[in-house]
Amino acid sequence: MLKYVKEKIDKNHWLKANYGIEREVLRVNGNGELALSNHPAIFGDKINNPYITTDFSESQIEMITPVFDNVEDVYKFMNSLYDIVTEEIGDEYLWPQSMTCLIYDENKIPIAKYNKNKKGKEAEEYRKKLIEKYGKKKQLISGIHYNFSFNERLIKKLYKQLKKEKESYESFKNNIYLKITRNYLRYRWLIIYLLGASPVLHDTYISNNNYEFEEISHKTFSNNKAVSYRNGKNGYRNKIDFLPNYNSVEEYVESLKNFISEGVIDSHKELYSQIRLKPKNNENFFDSLLNDGINYLEYRSIDINPFEKSGISLDDLYFIQVFNIYLLLKEESSYMEWQKEALENQNIISNFGQENVQLKKDGKCISRNDWALEILKDINNINDELNLERKDAVDLMIKKVKNTELTYSYRILKKIKEEGYVKGFLSLSKEYKENAYNNRFKFEVYEDLELSTQILIKEAIKRGIKFSIIDRNDNFISLEKDKKIEYIKQATKTSKDNYSSVLIMENKVVTKKVLENNNINVPKGNEFISLDEAISMMDEFIDKPIVVKPKSTNFGIGISIFTEKYGKEDLVSALKMAFKHDTTVLVEEFIKGKEYRFLVINDEVVGVLHRVPANVVGDGVNNINTLVKIKNQDPLRGYHYRTPLEKINLDENAKLFLKQQNKDFTYVPKKDEVVYLRENSNISTGGDSIDYTDDIPEIFKNIAVKSVKAVNAKICGVDMILEDYKDENSLYAIIELNFNPAIHIHSYPYKGIERKIAEKILKLLEFI
Amino acid sequence: MLKYVKEKIDKNHWLKANYGIEREVLRVNGNGELALSNHPAIFGDKINNPYITTDFSESQIEMITPVFDNVEDVYKFMNSLYDIVTEEIGDEYLWPQSMTCLIYDENKIPIAKYNKNKKGKEAEEYRKKLIEKYGKKKQLISGIHYNFSFNERLIKKLYKQLKKEKESYESFKNNIYLKITRNYLRYRWLIIYLLGASPVLHDTYISNNNYEFEEISHKTFSNNKAVSYRNGKNGYRNKIDFLPNYNSVEEYVESLKNFISEGVIDSHKELYSQIRLKPKNNENFFDSLLNDGINYLEYRSIDINPFEKSGISLDDLYFIQVFNIYLLLKEESSYMEWQKEALENQNIISNFGQENVQLKKDGKCISRNDWALEILKDINNINDELNLERKDAVDLMIKKVKNTELTYSYRILKKIKEEGYVKGFLSLSKEYKENAYNNRFKFEVYEDLELSTQILIKEAIKRGIKFSIIDRNDNFISLEKDKKIEYIKQATKTSKDNYSSVLIMENKVVTKKVLENNNINVPKGNEFISLDEAISMMDEFIDKPIVVKPKSTNFGIGISIFTEKYGKEDLVSALKMAFKHDTTVLVEEFIKGKEYRFLVINDEVVGVLHRVPANVVGDGVNNINTLVKIKNQDPLRGYHYRTPLEKINLDENAKLFLKQQNKDFTYVPKKDEVVYLRENSNISTGGDSIDYTDDIPEIFKNIAVKSVKAVNAKICGVDMILEDYKDENSLYAIIELNFNPAIHIHSYPYKGIERKIAEKILKLLEFI
């Protein structure tokens, strides 16, 4: 089959597929015991939050990624979901492993609580039935569900190449997924070997130790060979082993219906198979499968990988990408008893896979290593032929086959032997929790978006508001909940602001006129449309402190400030420079004082910020070089606007600036001595942002709100100069209104309280 | 005084002052009789319309310009007010002259009607008193009131140079205006001579002909020497001549209060002086004058100039600019009886000024010519010294002194002798009315603004909605009425649209996604962020008709269309070109059909337009050259977007395009043969805009409205392709939504009904 397709299909088509994962995880307290607290209310209604919900137990969180066309984003998204969740569970932790945490009393396991509506009642009923049949404890075993389908374009291309006579597209597509399913079942033992990560059990799980285990650590048991108890007979499995018919969708549906009518399972949901065929409409499972065909596949063999915050590694995701294609291309054997054999292989690998066990292949014995290397060789071949660039991931798997010590199961066994069950696992949870805190300002999968947008998306996801990236380059997203949809650009450009307000703010002259009309102080000034005109009026302002600036440019470009004595020539050259940037130039009085950014959302000042130039504060011991290094370690500091603050760069400018103070980088500032390293206070050159929200008198906040009301805006950054912020009678002037204020500077300042700005925006948008 | 100021003050400060005029005008029927109809309802509440109201009579319209810092704008604005008014009075005309139209029955003169509120009742009461005292007829005499004050900057500069010891700024400023007032009174005879334009009277006015007049035409009388009967004893004057005290504001106020307490006038408004001192707050006349000082001056000597649509010529406005400065700088004589002398001179000039009469100057005789030339020489001197560039206007006045035949009064006398009273004047009104129609799409004083904005301003003014230009370059205006203010940019960017909608429309990809989500047809397509990516996907669309375009540019730049067979290389170069204009390029299916612009305002399709390339339609006689010349005569056609349509230019492109049809400019098309002169249908290259609003089936209008609702917009131009507009089942696709649609194309199409779009915008903004 490979030879038919390799010429015709681009690499992108093979790998650009539809990927998504779900991960279950238990909340535990600091002792590794199941948390008995409620699911955090901030995650909203469990039934409607598409990202964060509960599974069987109230303490068992389920995190769900959206569908992505690449696995990197899936990986990063799951990491971010982890960050969101662990940040919201107080002093609890997320248990980083498939098998259960400490459970001293099975009866106390809280089942998930729901609203008392129809859906909620159904969910509770379903759980009660499960308890009767399987008990509560087994329900807490957690895993990764991997959802996958090929890109429709690929299937269409394959159809063109490979369809049988008179075969419909729908049937062709079903057959592709059925073949993958059968092959997945055949080769699932390899996935379990490579990704298996549940080789130890705690005493509170195996209440009836039947002496097949050794106590490898205090109250912790293993047979020292297991790869995945979760996938073994101690895992969460049906009472009997079902072998549904995977020859066609019709036969599959029929076999499932038979199981139900025989009363061995209650519904298709109770079939705990290693792979599931998924229809378009899950609510109407059988009909949709028959009518719409197989929509995607769900792989259910994957354990939680404790060494990954997300629970699955990117290398494993890369490997499964090629593995999927192998499953599609690999010819099937005609061996009749393949399902039983595959089940047997699953059991052997799960319970004893750390040894080079003997498996059965088409009725014949073959060692784990021989067969695994055979498969991996095939996969590498496919990778090469199709130019998939996944050789590294495949080679890593080859190493894991050759050297069991590289497997997760071996490493876990070792770690738990050394550290114990609770400490061994919880140390990882703690590490991830700290990592989440250090990541709190960003949303990794969208690290290319502006920080403000990342923060807003994160807040939306937390609250179960569905988001879509409408245009990634433009930071254009939509948020959707309960049939209400809002389109938002750059976090603060929303439907709540009217266009006219924005246009007023966009134009400095118009802003000033409107503010003046509303009796709000603005720097007095003149507007000139030609250099000659400006020069002819010069004697009106030549002796005053002034600012010369182009009308519409931003970021300080083309602006000159004259506060000291200056000459006519200085002014003329400043005017000339300003006219290079705009056809209209403003000459405004210079207002003495410090500049504060008031962020106003929905007529409320939600943050006040002041920026100071890059600086270090002495400790009497370290020199400037070292002090900068220490300051730069703050995770809020990074490069290129990826973080709320920028790392301080001791460059030529800093050197010159220090030289003016008769200092250099080796100077050791006295304790508490502040040494400035720049003149400008831009965050982009290492400046500090300092929150003043609680320090600024009400009167100035009211002025900020009044200014924003004057232009009829809902989200607005007000730049106000205050001569002395502590003095209620201080002179003030509004120098600019910004319709696209950054929110991250208030959310994550260098000093002061982190303000929940994203929440305010979601409130303005009436999502919460 | 001149020598003190000439070095220090820039020309701009002298001329940039505050100017405004008011003009009264009678509505008449086609026979020159006073119209008895009501003031047009479209002009709204008389008391609140700041531009168009009534004076004494319901048939006497008063037009009022805003204050401008230059006289050109005042002049143009009055012209535009004339256009607005004459367009709204049906088959009536505006009587182009100060003295009255035909009035056969004084009793029938309708006094202005008002709402029955307090202000309205006061206005009616006031009029009844005037009738008792002066009769109705005299009230109909109409004139120009010229309002003027210097720029505050100038007065401040003068104050610095010229203030007396301990003189306050307020007192200095009052003294400046008082001096001007006194000098105005002294020299007003010259203004009356130069601008006087009421030398004839109709029989229906002078009901008691006392034989001082000659019948110069049928029932039309003059003494053949008069310059301005309006300013003479036959004009509208107080019963006795008042000589208020102009030495100080206090004395002025006292003298007026005395007249009132003596019962000779009822209020300050009844003092029909040649000049009035105006306070800041006219409602509280005396107090405001005493407390706030003189705010501006009102010159009341100026007759309506029949030879000007506006009633006053630009040359006269230029002349008065320098005349004002003359009045300021000219030293006053100490002659005590100056007021009586000046009144005498006024009477002589008004009634006999066409002759070189003897006037009195400081008690001594001097001929009209000698004195006039002396004054004009002084004025020319000031013009030169201060570099005011008004020599042409002054020289024109010198000519009028030397040659009486150049005066308006002489020219009117001559015209009326030749054509008669009614026909002579009405021919001018008719000419102005036609001119107004040809100007209907523009508002002259703002000809630099976009047509759409001009149209909106015009509509606002008509309805008495106060407008301000907030930023002229940006076409940014505000509209205000009853304390409600709206800021509008480019006519269609308003507070009614939310910012998010605009951002959706601004981004073609986002627009498409949103429309698709709402089940609205859009051209299917792909978005590429690199040339390589686009090329790798090429085989998906290589054989289909497609459009390649940059994501965000407009005006067709960088767009390629492939409908015929094309090669891979063509596509690659089209892609390359598109990538030059944007980092994202769209490849979309090409939809067959014609493009229509649906203008949707407030969920209603208010106009549908289709554009066709520049063309001529044959008459079987003229060649293309001539047909184009004829077509270009349409006043809707102009240059550089100043008009709704552009003149067709028979350039090299047209030549080549005709050559492909084996034609040239001398080709004579058959009757009704359409010859296209271009391929593209842009209006900017002479294309025609054709209104289809009433022809397009409802179903497509509903789709347009649905599209606009999908992005939640209020004003939107929907570009829709229709294969066959007549067929309700025709295929359609929305190709673009425009948040800043031009309105002039619908308001003034080449063919079809002119749609009242500006009215719809004012309705959306809840002004009407």
Side-chain angles (χ1 to χ4, degrees), chain A residues 46 54-59 110-114 123-124 127:
Chain A
K46 287 161 192 168
T54 52
D55 200 272
F56 170 81
S57 166
E58 181 73 5
S59 315
I111 67 163
K113 293 163 191 166
Y114 287 96
E124 281 185 16
R127 279 162 180 72

Side-chain angles (χ1 to χ4, degrees), chain A residues 473-732:
Chain A
N473 282 336
D474 270 11
N475 289 276
F476 214 135
I477 66 170
S478 71
L479 297 181
E480 200 173 353
K481 194 181 169 184
D482 303 337
K483 293 193 177 157
K484 170 187 161 63
I485 187 160
E486 289 284 346
Y487 297 93
I488 300 150
K489 186 169 168 178
Q490 296 177 301
T492 55
K493 297 175 175 174
T494 76
S495 72
K496 295 296 170 181
D497 270 305
N498 77 69
Y499 191 26
S500 169
S501 295
V502 170
L503 296 168
I504 292 171
M505 292 188 267
E506 204 173 55
N507 183 317
K508 289 197 188 87
V509 174
V510 175
T511 303
K512 276 182 67 174
K513 280 187 190 164
V514 174
L515 291 179
E516 273 176 330
N517 289 346
N518 284 272
N519 300 313
I520 294 162
N521 291 358
V522 292
K524 282 172 198 63
N526 298 284
E527 186 187 335
F528 298 109
I529 55 166
S530 79
L531 185 62
D532 283 351
E533 192 199 3
I535 291 173
S536 86
M537 307 286 274
M538 213 185 244
D539 53 344
E540 293 203 4
F541 44 78
I542 187 81
D543 293 328
K544 298 171 190 161
I546 55 165
V547 183
V548 178
K549 56 181 175 182
K551 185 168 129 188
S552 320
T553 57
N554 256 316
F555 304 113
I557 295 163
I559 295 184
S560 308
I561 297 175
F562 295 99
T563 52
E564 311 288 311
K565 201 80 195 153
Y566 56 93
K568 208 161 172 168
E569 312 75 51
D570 304 324
L571 191 49
V572 170
S573 56
L575 286 165
K576 277 184 183 162
M577 183 174 76
F579 272 113
K580 273 188 196 151
H581 296 281
D582 202 321
T583 53
T584 303
V585 165
L586 312 181
V587 177
E588 282 180 353
E589 62 173 327
F590 175 79
I591 310 284
K592 227 169 55 182
K594 286 184 177 169
E595 186 179 330
Y596 298 82
R597 160 62 62 89
F598 290 65
L599 179 60
V600 177
I601 298 181
N602 211 9
D603 303 339
E604 179 196 354
V605 172
V606 296
V608 183
L609 204 85
H610 172 60
R611 298 181 185 93
V612 292
N615 66 80
V616 286
V617 180
D619 56 8
V621 178
N622 290 300
N623 67 15
I624 291 179
N625 258 319
T626 314
L627 289 169
V628 165
K629 266 180 203 145
I630 294 167
K631 192 163 182 176
N632 280 347
Q633 281 165 14
D634 185 341
L636 292 186
R637 287 190 193 268
Y639 295 109
H640 311 305
Y641 311 101
R642 289 283 188 99
T643 47
L645 298 164
E646 289 284 306
K647 285 191 197 287
I648 298 170
N649 184 8
L650 285 180
D651 58 4
E652 205 55 34
N653 283 325
K655 194 171 167 182
L656 279 171
F657 192 72
L658 282 174
K659 203 175 168 190
Q660 288 169 26
Q661 310 167 51
N662 296 314
K663 296 184 180 105
D664 64 19
F665 298 153
T666 64
Y667 172 75
V668 178
K670 287 185 277 293
K671 176 131 181 61
D672 298 329
E673 180 187 351
V674 181
V675 180
Y676 289 100
L677 305 164
R678 295 259 167 191
E679 188 155 19
N680 80 66
S681 60
N682 295 357
I683 299 296
S684 58
T685 54
D688 290 341
S689 52
I690 301 174
D691 176 70
Y692 276 81
T693 314
D694 299 332
D695 306 315
I696 294 276
E698 212 53 32
I699 187 169
F700 301 120
K701 292 185 186 168
N702 292 341
I703 289 165
V705 171
K706 191 180 162 195
S707 307
V708 176
K709 281 183 174 170
V711 299
N712 199 10
K714 284 295 163 191
I715 301 183
C716 178
V718 179
D719 290 335
M720 194 188 297
I721 303 262
L722 286 171
E723 205 165 343
D724 174 8
Y725 79 88
K726 287 180 208 133
D727 175 10
E728 296 218 339
N729 300 311
S730 169
L731 284 178
Y732 80 89

Side-chain angles (χ1 to χ4, degrees), chain B residues 94-296:
Chain B
L94 296 176
W95 186 246
Q97 121 97 346
S98 283
M99 297 312 288
T100 54
C101 59
L102 305 201
I103 298 164
Y104 290 109
D105 183 350
E106 181 161 4
N107 294 324
K108 282 195 179 157
I109 295 172
I111 67 164
K113 292 164 192 165
Y114 287 95
N115 286 337
K116 295 291 172 213
N117 54 23
K118 188 165 168 280
K119 270 197 168 179
K121 278 182 188 161
E122 278 171 17
E124 280 185 17
E125 276 313 304
Y126 177 64
R127 280 163 179 70
K128 279 181 190 158
K129 275 193 186 160
L130 292 178
I131 295 168
E132 272 173 35
K133 221 160 175 177
Y134 306 93
K136 278 180 169 179
K137 212 183 276 178
K138 286 216 166 174
Q139 304 288 346
L140 298 191
I141 296 174
S142 300
I144 298 272
H145 294 170
Y146 171 96
N147 297 310
F148 159 76
S149 66
F150 281 120
N151 189 316
E152 207 68 20
R153 278 181 181 156
L154 174 76
I155 302 180
K156 280 181 185 156
K157 279 177 187 274
L158 292 173
Y159 179 66
K160 259 195 194 171
Q161 299 292 318
L162 304 171
K163 70 171 174 215
K164 293 182 197 120
E165 214 183 326
K166 290 190 179 170
E167 191 179 23
S168 73
Y169 177 72
E170 289 68 32
S171 147
F172 179 84
K173 185 175 154 187
N174 275 342
N175 285 331
I176 278 194
Y177 287 123
L178 286 163
K179 180 180 178 190
I180 292 174
T181 301
R182 291 187 301 265
N183 272 344
Y184 181 84
L185 288 168
R186 284 187 180 98
Y187 302 110
R188 70 186 189 248
W189 67 264
L190 181 59
I191 291 294
I192 294 171
Y193 172 71
L194 293 171
L195 275 69
S198 50
V200 293
L201 299 168
H202 190 260
D203 175 62
T204 58
Y205 179 76
I206 42 158
S207 31
N208 301 309
N209 184 355
N210 54 9
Y211 306 106
E212 65 183 279
F213 305 115
E214 183 187 320
E215 184 163 8
I216 58 161
S217 174
H218 178 64
K219 297 206 170 180
T220 307
F221 298 88
S222 177
N223 67 359
N224 280 312
K225 301 166 191 166
V227 161
S228 172
Y229 281 127
R230 173 173 161 272
N231 282 297
K233 62 182 168 130
N234 297 91
Y236 183 21
R237 289 164 75 157
N238 287 108
K239 296 279 170 187
I240 54 168
D241 291 316
F242 295 103
L243 304 177
N245 185 324
Y246 293 102
N247 288 332
S248 68
V249 169
E250 291 72 18
E251 286 163 289
Y252 176 74
V253 168
E254 203 193 323
S255 60
L256 260 64
K257 282 187 172 170
N258 282 339
F259 300 150
I260 295 169
S261 66
E262 286 162 14
V264 283
I265 54 172
D266 263 7
S267 89
H268 67 90
K269 283 191 283 184
E270 203 190 321
L271 186 77
Y272 302 123
S273 48
Q274 290 269 313
I275 187 167
R276 276 181 179 167
L277 310 184
K278 288 288 200 169
K280 203 167 153 190
N281 177 4
N282 212 34
E283 303 281 304
N284 199 4
F285 187 82
F286 291 125
D287 284 352
S288 181
L289 212 48
L290 289 170
N291 299 328
D292 311 324
I294 300 166
N295 192 33
Y296 66 96

